[in-house]
Amino acid sequence: ILTGYMQNVVGRWSRTRGGAGESDDQEASSAPPAISPIRYAFSGGELVSDLGVNDPFLAPDIDRAYAASALSEAMAVLRPDLPDRIADLMVRGEPFRVVGYLGVDALSITGTVDEDTLVVSVTAAVEGEGRLLEATDGRIAALQRSLALCADAQWTEAANGVVTWCNPAYLKLCSQAAETEDASSHWPPPRVFGEQLDPPPTDGAKRRCYLKHGQPVSTRWFEVGSMRLSEGEVLYSARPIDKLVTAENSLRDFVQTLSKTFATLPVGLAVFDRKRELVLFNPALVSTSMLEPGFLSRRPTLRSFLDQLREMRRMPEPRDYQSWRDEITRLEQSAEQDRYYEIWTLPSGETLRVTGRPHPNGAIAFLFEDISQEVSLTRRF
C-alpha cells in the first residue's frame, strides 16, 4: 500500500475523530490513490527485505528478528485468522492466499515459499477476487478439517526426503516416536518411517512399515501407500494395521501348533482349499499314500492327488476310466456334505479307512488311516 493510500486511510480516521474537517463532497470527488504491492521476505525467521518509510504494518526501525510476530499482530486488523496463517507459513512453510478488508478496501494477502525464503505479499484485490478466494478458502478449510479427523497419517515429502506437509495424525506419530508431547513445534518434522520407504512404493502398491516406541518397547504396524505428485514430491498415507498383524501372527502360531500336533498323528491328513489345491498335509500322509513329499509340497489339485494315488496303486482299481471320473466327482461331493466314509482294499492287501470332512470356506479334508492289522485280526478271530 503506497503512502498516498495510507494518508487516505489516516484521513478517514481523522475525520471520524473530527480532526481534518474536509467535506464529504470533497472526499467523494477525489479518486483514491492506487494500491501498490508490499512484499515482506523472511529468511531464517528474520526480515531480509527493505521497509518503506511509511510502511503501513512495520516501523522502519523494528528489530528484524521479531518482525514476523509484529507483522502478524499488525495484520490481524485485516483478517482475524491472519496471525495463524503467517505462523503456519513461518513454522511449517504452508502457503496461503486470502482476502482481508481495511474499511471498504479489499486486499489480497498471500504467503509463499521461495526456496529458503518465506514471502508475505499484500496487493489490491481485483473485482470479484474476494468472493472467489473466500469460497475457495472455505473449501480448503473443510478439507483440512476432514484431514484432521482422518485416522490415517498423511504427509508429503519433497524429492530430497524433507517433509513438506502433514496432517495431525502424522504429527501424533512423530510425538510417539520421539516420546514428546508435541512434535508440531519443530518443522519440518522427521521422517517417522525413515529408510523403510526408500525407495517409495509404486503408485497403488502397499508396503508394511513399523514404528517402535515406549518403554518397554512396543511395535506398531502400518500399511503405507504412496502417490507421486509434481516436481518429485510424493504423497504418503499410513493406515494402522496392528489388529491385522496380531490376527496373522495368531493364525500363524495356531497353524504351527496344529502342524506339530498333526506331525505326531498316525493318521494321514490332507486338506484341500476351495480351489481344491492341497494346502496342508502331515508326515503320516507320506507313509500312507507312498507319494513323494516334493509332489505334495507343490500343492497338487485333488484330481491330481487321486490320479497319483491310482498310479501308485494306493486306492482300489476302478473298472474303467468313466467310472473313475464318476468316483472322483462322487468323492468330492460326499466330502463336502460330510458323507464320505469308505474302506479301501488295496491290491497289496492293505486296508485303508478314508474319511472326508467339510472345512470352513469351502475346503475339505481327507483322513487316511491304515487299518490293515485291525482287519487282519478281525478276520483271524
Side-chain angles (χ1 to χ4, degrees):
I1 307 173
L2 291 176
T3 303
Y5 173 77
M6 294 307 300
Q7 289 176 348
N8 187 25
V9 175
V10 172
R12 294 177 186 173
W13 290 349
S14 300
R15 285 188 294 274
T16 302
R17 296 165 55 188
E22 294 182 357
S23 65
D24 294 339
D25 295 338
Q26 183 179 358
E27 179 187 358
S29 61
S30 61
I35 302 175
S36 297
I38 293 182
R39 182 177 183 272
Y40 302 95
F42 298 86
S43 179
E46 184 174 337
L47 181 67
V48 294
S49 58
D50 296 331
L51 291 176
V53 179
N54 297 316
D55 189 282
F57 300 107
L58 296 178
D61 58 347
I62 192 172
D63 188 343
R64 292 179 172 264
Y66 299 96
S69 58
L71 182 64
S72 298
E73 295 177 2
M75 285 191 171
V77 298
L78 304 180
R79 188 182 173 101
D81 62 343
L82 262 179
D84 294 334
R85 304 267 189 167
I86 296 176
D88 291 339
L89 174 69
M90 298 299 172
V91 176
R92 305 181 185 180
E94 292 188 8
F96 65 89
R97 184 180 182 185
V98 296
V99 169
Y101 294 91
L102 187 58
V104 296
D105 298 310
L107 306 177
S108 177
I109 306 101
T110 59
T112 57
V113 181
D114 184 8
E115 295 182 353
D116 295 333
T117 304
L118 307 175
V119 180
V120 178
S121 303
V122 182
T123 59
V126 298
E127 184 178 358
E129 183 181 12
R131 292 188 298 273
L132 177 61
L133 287 180
E134 286 177 354
T136 304
D137 189 57
R139 295 191 184 96
I140 293 176
L143 289 174
Q144 289 176 337
R145 287 194 296 269
S146 64
L147 290 174
L149 294 174
C150 182
D152 296 354
Q154 297 180 341
W155 72 100
T156 57
E157 292 182 9
N160 58 359
V162 176
V163 178
T164 56
W165 170 86
C166 67
N167 67 343
Y170 181 81
L171 292 176
K172 186 176 180 180
L173 289 184
C174 294
S175 300
Q176 292 176 351
E179 298 183 2
T180 59
E181 294 183 358
D182 184 15
S184 61
S185 58
H186 304 284
W187 193 266
R191 299 181 67 202
V192 70
F193 295 111
E195 297 180 353
Q196 297 181 71
L197 294 175
D198 290 334
T202 58
D203 290 359
K206 304 291 183 181
R207 182 178 299 175
R208 286 195 176 182
C209 300
Y210 63 87
L211 176 64
K212 295 182 179 293
H213 65 93
Q215 292 294 334
V217 177
S218 61
T219 303
R220 295 191 61 190
W221 288 92
F222 299 85
E223 190 176 64
V224 182
S226 67
M227 178 185 297
R228 281 162 178 77
L229 306 178
S230 59
E231 299 180 358
E233 199 171 32
V234 182
L235 170 65
Y236 292 96
S237 179
R239 173 169 298 180
I241 56 170
D242 294 322
K243 293 182 179 180
L244 175 60
V245 173
T246 301
E248 290 177 346
N249 292 335
S250 299
L251 178 60
R252 188 181 302 111
D253 295 340
F254 179 69
V255 172
Q256 290 177 352
T257 302
L258 286 180
S259 300
K260 293 178 181 178
T261 303
F262 294 154
T264 61
L265 291 178
V267 179
L269 172 67
V271 179
F272 296 85
D273 62 11
R274 64 188 308 169
K275 297 180 181 179
R276 298 300 178 259
E277 294 179 349
L278 183 64
V279 293
L280 180 64
F281 67 93
N282 65 343
L285 181 67
V286 178
S287 59
T288 303
S289 65
M290 299 298 180
L291 299 180
E292 293 293 333
F295 169 76
L296 298 175
S297 300
R298 290 194 292 270
R299 297 169 60 98
T301 63
L302 175 60
R303 192 174 297 272
S304 299
F305 175 79
L306 295 176
D307 282 340
Q308 197 67 19
L309 284 180
R310 181 190 178 196
E311 292 292 331
M312 299 295 295
R313 299 175 63 85
R314 299 302 295 174
M315 66 183 306
E317 185 67 26
R319 291 187 303 271
D320 51 44
Y321 184 77
Q322 183 60 41
S323 63
W324 163 242
R325 306 297 289 185
D326 295 340
E327 175 67 16
I328 291 180
T329 303
R330 186 184 66 84
L331 184 148
E332 181 177 346
Q333 293 176 350
S334 300
E336 291 176 352
Q337 300 171 9
D338 198 8
R339 291 190 295 105
Y340 188 81
Y341 177 86
E342 284 192 357
I343 302 298
W344 287 1
T345 301
L346 307 183
S348 62
E350 297 175 89
T351 305
L352 299 180
R353 180 191 290 127
V354 182
T355 307
R357 292 284 185 267
H359 270 231
N361 298 324
I364 55 176
F366 290 95
L367 301 176
F368 298 85
E369 184 179 0
D370 190 347
I371 59 173
S372 301
Q373 293 183 355
E374 177 184 341
V375 172
S376 178
L377 180 62
T378 302
R379 288 173 178 172
R380 289 176 184 175
F381 179 78

